[in-house]
Amino acid sequence: MMTTDSRVITAMIVDDEPLARKRVRDLLRAETDIQIVAESGDGFDARTKLQQLRPDILFLDIKMPGLSGLELARLLKDHQAPCIIFTTAYSEHALDAFDLDAVDYLMKPFDRQRFVEALTRARNRLAALSPNSDEVERIVRHLSGLSTEQQERSKDRLAVKDGTHIKFFILRDISYLQSDGDYLHVYTVTGEHAMTRERMRDMEQRLSKSRFVRISRSLLINFEHVKEMKPSTHGDYEFLLPDGKSFVSGKTYREAIRNLLSGIYQDT
């Protein structure tokens, strides 16, 4: 999870009623430190998105198709669980909700004042759960600034800040990195995932001495895991990965791709 000091707090809205999701979305527009990263209308879809995105705050309805809000909350791992604010029209589930350590229980229809009270509780809990955030940032900056020789001695690992955690990835295990607004997603061949606030160009520089190639504004691919390349239109390429995913390169990045290919051919 992220801290509440000048950093963006991520939020997810889960409710099977579109108007209810819109109500929460509209109220959050006034909160400049909060970014909505996903919405969902049923429990099973929400569970998948929660596992991938791990938001800081979850606005969660109780009665939904698939998994109910209470069932979904029970499935969340304690160390990865967001701060849950239940939003519901049913008062009888309040005790169950607080047994699951919910931050608050908003009864529909709720007004802005009540909503802000719930957000304040969530911010306070996030602050309590996020000690030494400055230290985390310092460690990541230090690891990012290691020389190439030092990085080689550290077994070619990449350190990224995911919420208040530092995750370490072995470079050869990373399949590709993809930017999404202010966030950068790291995907591995083993299914691991991390989301960090870092610019693509900074990550590209960190990986400049490895076999990662930027093929578009939003994609950085590990050439170790490219199964097939096919020429596309106008001199571009299509990259096929072992898991079936495919990506097409952009015009701006043709030279970088050709330089990488030339270097690979020289090494063989």
Side-chain angles (χ1 to χ4, degrees), residues 100-125:
L100 291 168
D101 201 26
V103 171
D104 212 330
Y105 192 90
L106 297 181
M107 288 289 299
K108 300 174 182 176
F110 45 83
D111 59 18
R112 174 173 289 280
Q113 180 178 350
R114 185 68 184 86
F115 184 81
V116 169
E117 289 175 2
L119 271 183
T120 299
R121 291 191 177 97
R123 287 188 178 100
N124 290 340
R125 181 173 294 187

mmCIF file of all heavy atoms in Angstrom, residues 100-125:
data_model
loop_
_atom_site.group_PDB
_atom_site.id
_atom_site.type_symbol
_atom_site.label_atom_id
_atom_site.label_comp_id
_atom_site.label_asym_id
_atom_site.label_seq_id
_atom_site.Cartn_x
_atom_site.Cartn_y
_atom_site.Cartn_z
ATOM 1 N N LEU A 100 -14.355 -8.126 9.817
ATOM 2 C CA LEU A 100 -13.349 -8.253 8.762
ATOM 3 C C LEU A 100 -12.402 -7.053 8.740
ATOM 4 O O LEU A 100 -11.667 -6.851 7.781
ATOM 5 C CB LEU A 100 -14.045 -8.394 7.401
ATOM 6 C CG LEU A 100 -14.805 -9.711 7.196
ATOM 7 C CD1 LEU A 100 -15.700 -9.639 5.959
ATOM 8 C CD2 LEU A 100 -13.823 -10.866 7.059
ATOM 9 N N ASP A 101 -12.448 -6.253 9.799
ATOM 10 C CA ASP A 101 -11.548 -5.109 9.966
ATOM 11 C C ASP A 101 -11.801 -4.019 8.931
ATOM 12 O O ASP A 101 -10.864 -3.377 8.440
ATOM 13 C CB ASP A 101 -10.088 -5.573 9.895
ATOM 14 C CG ASP A 101 -9.141 -4.581 10.562
ATOM 15 O OD1 ASP A 101 -9.597 -3.854 11.462
ATOM 16 O OD2 ASP A 101 -7.967 -4.524 10.171
ATOM 17 N N ALA A 102 -13.067 -3.827 8.579
ATOM 18 C CA ALA A 102 -13.415 -2.759 7.640
ATOM 19 C C ALA A 102 -13.085 -1.402 8.252
ATOM 20 O O ALA A 102 -13.182 -1.202 9.466
ATOM 21 C CB ALA A 102 -14.898 -2.822 7.295
ATOM 22 N N VAL A 103 -12.698 -0.475 7.400
ATOM 23 C CA VAL A 103 -12.412 0.883 7.857
ATOM 24 C C VAL A 103 -13.705 1.606 8.214
ATOM 25 O O VAL A 103 -13.787 2.332 9.207
ATOM 26 C CB VAL A 103 -11.649 1.661 6.769
ATOM 27 C CG1 VAL A 103 -11.543 3.140 7.133
ATOM 28 C CG2 VAL A 103 -10.264 1.080 6.582
ATOM 29 N N ASP A 104 -14.747 1.397 7.384
ATOM 30 C CA ASP A 104 -16.021 2.075 7.620
ATOM 31 C C ASP A 104 -17.132 1.320 6.892
ATOM 32 O O ASP A 104 -16.867 0.437 6.061
ATOM 33 C CB ASP A 104 -15.974 3.530 7.146
ATOM 34 C CG ASP A 104 -16.859 4.447 7.985
ATOM 35 O OD1 ASP A 104 -17.892 3.955 8.500
ATOM 36 O OD2 ASP A 104 -16.539 5.636 8.127
ATOM 37 N N TYR A 105 -18.365 1.703 7.218
ATOM 38 C CA TYR A 105 -19.552 1.038 6.679
ATOM 39 C C TYR A 105 -20.537 2.145 6.298
ATOM 40 O O TYR A 105 -21.204 2.728 7.158
ATOM 41 C CB TYR A 105 -20.142 0.122 7.757
ATOM 42 C CG TYR A 105 -21.192 -0.856 7.290
ATOM 43 C CD1 TYR A 105 -20.839 -2.130 6.841
ATOM 44 C CD2 TYR A 105 -22.545 -0.523 7.327
ATOM 45 C CE1 TYR A 105 -21.799 -3.045 6.437
ATOM 46 C CE2 TYR A 105 -23.512 -1.425 6.922
ATOM 47 C CZ TYR A 105 -23.143 -2.685 6.484
ATOM 48 O OH TYR A 105 -24.102 -3.589 6.082
ATOM 49 N N LEU A 106 -20.586 2.472 5.015
ATOM 50 C CA LEU A 106 -21.428 3.567 4.540
ATOM 51 C C LEU A 106 -22.783 3.038 4.095
ATOM 52 O O LEU A 106 -22.865 2.161 3.235
ATOM 53 C CB LEU A 106 -20.754 4.294 3.372
ATOM 54 C CG LEU A 106 -19.427 4.996 3.667
ATOM 55 C CD1 LEU A 106 -18.908 5.682 2.405
ATOM 56 C CD2 LEU A 106 -19.594 6.002 4.793
ATOM 57 N N MET A 107 -23.823 3.606 4.691
ATOM 58 C CA MET A 107 -25.183 3.219 4.319
ATOM 59 C C MET A 107 -25.675 4.114 3.177
ATOM 60 O O MET A 107 -25.640 5.338 3.279
ATOM 61 C CB MET A 107 -26.106 3.359 5.520
ATOM 62 C CG MET A 107 -25.884 2.296 6.594
ATOM 63 S SD MET A 107 -26.467 0.681 6.051
ATOM 64 C CE MET A 107 -28.209 1.027 5.802
ATOM 65 N N LYS A 108 -26.102 3.491 2.093
ATOM 66 C CA LYS A 108 -26.663 4.245 0.974
ATOM 67 C C LYS A 108 -28.058 4.758 1.350
ATOM 68 O O LYS A 108 -28.834 4.029 1.978
ATOM 69 C CB LYS A 108 -26.768 3.355 -0.266
ATOM 70 C CG LYS A 108 -25.453 2.788 -0.768
ATOM 71 C CD LYS A 108 -25.720 1.809 -1.905
ATOM 72 C CE LYS A 108 -24.440 1.168 -2.418
ATOM 73 N NZ LYS A 108 -24.703 0.156 -3.456
ATOM 74 N N PRO A 109 -28.422 6.005 0.943
ATOM 75 C CA PRO A 109 -27.550 6.974 0.263
ATOM 76 C C PRO A 109 -26.748 7.772 1.302
ATOM 77 O O PRO A 109 -27.298 8.219 2.288
ATOM 78 C CB PRO A 109 -28.550 7.857 -0.471
ATOM 79 C CG PRO A 109 -29.769 7.835 0.400
ATOM 80 C CD PRO A 109 -29.810 6.464 1.038
ATOM 81 N N PHE A 110 -25.459 7.915 1.067
ATOM 82 C CA PHE A 110 -24.618 8.664 1.993
ATOM 83 C C PHE A 110 -24.268 10.010 1.370
ATOM 84 O O PHE A 110 -24.217 10.160 0.139
ATOM 85 C CB PHE A 110 -23.348 7.883 2.336
ATOM 86 C CG PHE A 110 -22.675 7.255 1.151
ATOM 87 C CD1 PHE A 110 -21.809 7.984 0.345
ATOM 88 C CD2 PHE A 110 -22.926 5.923 0.830
ATOM 89 C CE1 PHE A 110 -21.198 7.402 -0.751
ATOM 90 C CE2 PHE A 110 -22.311 5.333 -0.265
ATOM 91 C CZ PHE A 110 -21.450 6.068 -1.061
ATOM 92 N N ASP A 111 -24.022 11.009 2.202
ATOM 93 C CA ASP A 111 -23.680 12.345 1.692
ATOM 94 C C ASP A 111 -22.163 12.540 1.685
ATOM 95 O O ASP A 111 -21.403 11.684 2.136
ATOM 96 C CB ASP A 111 -24.375 13.437 2.516
ATOM 97 C CG ASP A 111 -23.993 13.385 4.001
ATOM 98 O OD1 ASP A 111 -22.966 12.762 4.349
ATOM 99 O OD2 ASP A 111 -24.732 13.974 4.818
ATOM 100 N N ARG A 112 -21.738 13.693 1.185
ATOM 101 C CA ARG A 112 -20.308 13.968 1.062
ATOM 102 C C ARG A 112 -19.619 13.976 2.421
ATOM 103 O O ARG A 112 -18.500 13.456 2.557
ATOM 104 C CB ARG A 112 -20.083 15.307 0.350
ATOM 105 C CG ARG A 112 -18.608 15.735 0.324
ATOM 106 C CD ARG A 112 -18.390 16.949 -0.530
ATOM 107 N NE ARG A 112 -18.548 16.629 -1.933
ATOM 108 C CZ ARG A 112 -17.619 16.055 -2.683
ATOM 109 N NH1 ARG A 112 -16.466 15.705 -2.146
ATOM 110 N NH2 ARG A 112 -17.841 15.823 -3.952
ATOM 111 N N GLN A 113 -20.261 14.561 3.438
ATOM 112 C CA GLN A 113 -19.628 14.644 4.747
ATOM 113 C C GLN A 113 -19.332 13.254 5.302
ATOM 114 O O GLN A 113 -18.234 12.998 5.801
ATOM 115 C CB GLN A 113 -20.520 15.406 5.720
ATOM 116 C CG GLN A 113 -19.909 15.526 7.117
ATOM 117 C CD GLN A 113 -20.774 16.333 8.065
ATOM 118 O OE1 GLN A 113 -21.744 16.966 7.656
ATOM 119 N NE2 GLN A 113 -20.432 16.319 9.346
ATOM 120 N N ARG A 114 -20.303 12.363 5.174
ATOM 121 C CA ARG A 114 -20.093 10.995 5.675
ATOM 122 C C ARG A 114 -19.011 10.287 4.865
ATOM 123 O O ARG A 114 -18.214 9.519 5.412
ATOM 124 C CB ARG A 114 -21.423 10.224 5.578
ATOM 125 C CG ARG A 114 -21.362 8.833 6.167
ATOM 126 C CD ARG A 114 -21.204 8.853 7.669
ATOM 127 N NE ARG A 114 -21.050 7.497 8.191
ATOM 128 C CZ ARG A 114 -19.905 6.857 8.270
ATOM 129 N NH1 ARG A 114 -18.781 7.453 7.885
ATOM 130 N NH2 ARG A 114 -19.854 5.629 8.749
ATOM 131 N N PHE A 115 -18.972 10.546 3.556
ATOM 132 C CA PHE A 115 -17.970 9.949 2.676
ATOM 133 C C PHE A 115 -16.570 10.425 3.060
ATOM 134 O O PHE A 115 -15.628 9.623 3.138
ATOM 135 C CB PHE A 115 -18.283 10.314 1.221
ATOM 136 C CG PHE A 115 -17.375 9.687 0.214
ATOM 137 C CD1 PHE A 115 -17.565 8.377 -0.205
ATOM 138 C CD2 PHE A 115 -16.325 10.405 -0.349
ATOM 139 C CE1 PHE A 115 -16.736 7.786 -1.137
ATOM 140 C CE2 PHE A 115 -15.492 9.825 -1.289
ATOM 141 C CZ PHE A 115 -15.702 8.521 -1.689
ATOM 142 N N VAL A 116 -16.433 11.719 3.321
ATOM 143 C CA VAL A 116 -15.135 12.288 3.694
ATOM 144 C C VAL A 116 -14.670 11.717 5.029
ATOM 145 O O VAL A 116 -13.468 11.469 5.228
ATOM 146 C CB VAL A 116 -15.219 13.828 3.749
ATOM 147 C CG1 VAL A 116 -13.964 14.426 4.386
ATOM 148 C CG2 VAL A 116 -15.415 14.387 2.338
ATOM 149 N N GLU A 117 -15.601 11.482 5.957
ATOM 150 C CA GLU A 117 -15.239 10.870 7.238
ATOM 151 C C GLU A 117 -14.624 9.486 7.017
ATOM 152 O O GLU A 117 -13.621 9.120 7.657
ATOM 153 C CB GLU A 117 -16.475 10.753 8.131
ATOM 154 C CG GLU A 117 -16.980 12.079 8.676
ATOM 155 C CD GLU A 117 -18.276 11.915 9.447
ATOM 156 O OE1 GLU A 117 -18.755 10.756 9.579
ATOM 157 O OE2 GLU A 117 -18.830 12.934 9.914
ATOM 158 N N ALA A 118 -15.233 8.720 6.124
ATOM 159 C CA ALA A 118 -14.714 7.377 5.830
ATOM 160 C C ALA A 118 -13.331 7.468 5.195
ATOM 161 O O ALA A 118 -12.424 6.683 5.531
ATOM 162 C CB ALA A 118 -15.680 6.636 4.906
ATOM 163 N N LEU A 119 -13.146 8.412 4.287
ATOM 164 C CA LEU A 119 -11.841 8.589 3.647
ATOM 165 C C LEU A 119 -10.769 8.979 4.662
ATOM 166 O O LEU A 119 -9.623 8.525 4.584
ATOM 167 C CB LEU A 119 -11.930 9.668 2.562
ATOM 168 C CG LEU A 119 -12.321 9.224 1.162
ATOM 169 C CD1 LEU A 119 -12.288 10.417 0.222
ATOM 170 C CD2 LEU A 119 -11.391 8.128 0.664
ATOM 171 N N THR A 120 -11.138 9.840 5.615
ATOM 172 C CA THR A 120 -10.188 10.248 6.648
ATOM 173 C C THR A 120 -9.734 9.042 7.455
ATOM 174 O O THR A 120 -8.540 8.893 7.761
ATOM 175 C CB THR A 120 -10.827 11.297 7.575
ATOM 176 O OG1 THR A 120 -11.183 12.449 6.803
ATOM 177 C CG2 THR A 120 -9.857 11.710 8.675
ATOM 178 N N ARG A 121 -10.659 8.160 7.798
ATOM 179 C CA ARG A 121 -10.298 6.942 8.528
ATOM 180 C C ARG A 121 -9.354 6.079 7.701
ATOM 181 O O ARG A 121 -8.385 5.515 8.225
ATOM 182 C CB ARG A 121 -11.556 6.150 8.886
ATOM 183 C CG ARG A 121 -12.435 6.810 9.929
ATOM 184 C CD ARG A 121 -13.513 5.862 10.424
ATOM 185 N NE ARG A 121 -14.293 6.486 11.479
ATOM 186 C CZ ARG A 121 -15.457 7.084 11.297
ATOM 187 N NH1 ARG A 121 -15.994 7.128 10.089
ATOM 188 N NH2 ARG A 121 -16.106 7.629 12.315
ATOM 189 N N ALA A 122 -9.638 5.982 6.390
ATOM 190 C CA ALA A 122 -8.773 5.177 5.519
ATOM 191 C C ALA A 122 -7.382 5.782 5.421
ATOM 192 O O ALA A 122 -6.375 5.062 5.482
ATOM 193 C CB ALA A 122 -9.407 5.059 4.135
ATOM 194 N N ARG A 123 -7.294 7.092 5.274
ATOM 195 C CA ARG A 123 -5.991 7.747 5.202
ATOM 196 C C ARG A 123 -5.195 7.533 6.483
ATOM 197 O O ARG A 123 -3.985 7.290 6.451
ATOM 198 C CB ARG A 123 -6.166 9.247 4.940
ATOM 199 C CG ARG A 123 -6.602 9.606 3.517
ATOM 200 C CD ARG A 123 -6.535 11.106 3.342
ATOM 201 N NE ARG A 123 -6.882 11.523 1.994
ATOM 202 C CZ ARG A 123 -8.075 12.001 1.633
ATOM 203 N NH1 ARG A 123 -9.044 12.105 2.545
ATOM 204 N NH2 ARG A 123 -8.314 12.364 0.396
ATOM 205 N N ASN A 124 -5.871 7.632 7.615
ATOM 206 C CA ASN A 124 -5.183 7.437 8.893
ATOM 207 C C ASN A 124 -4.654 6.014 9.018
ATOM 208 O O ASN A 124 -3.547 5.795 9.520
ATOM 209 C CB ASN A 124 -6.131 7.748 10.054
ATOM 210 C CG ASN A 124 -6.445 9.232 10.171
ATOM 211 O OD1 ASN A 124 -5.706 10.077 9.658
ATOM 212 N ND2 ASN A 124 -7.533 9.565 10.827
ATOM 213 N N ARG A 125 -5.431 5.046 8.563
ATOM 214 C CA ARG A 125 -4.959 3.666 8.646
ATOM 215 C C ARG A 125 -3.785 3.440 7.704
ATOM 216 O O ARG A 125 -2.819 2.756 8.061
ATOM 217 C CB ARG A 125 -6.082 2.684 8.315
ATOM 218 C CG ARG A 125 -5.611 1.238 8.412
ATOM 219 C CD ARG A 125 -6.711 0.229 8.250
ATOM 220 N NE ARG A 125 -7.677 0.283 9.327
ATOM 221 C CZ ARG A 125 -8.659 -0.618 9.467
ATOM 222 N NH1 ARG A 125 -8.779 -1.615 8.602
ATOM 223 N NH2 ARG A 125 -9.506 -0.523 10.460
#
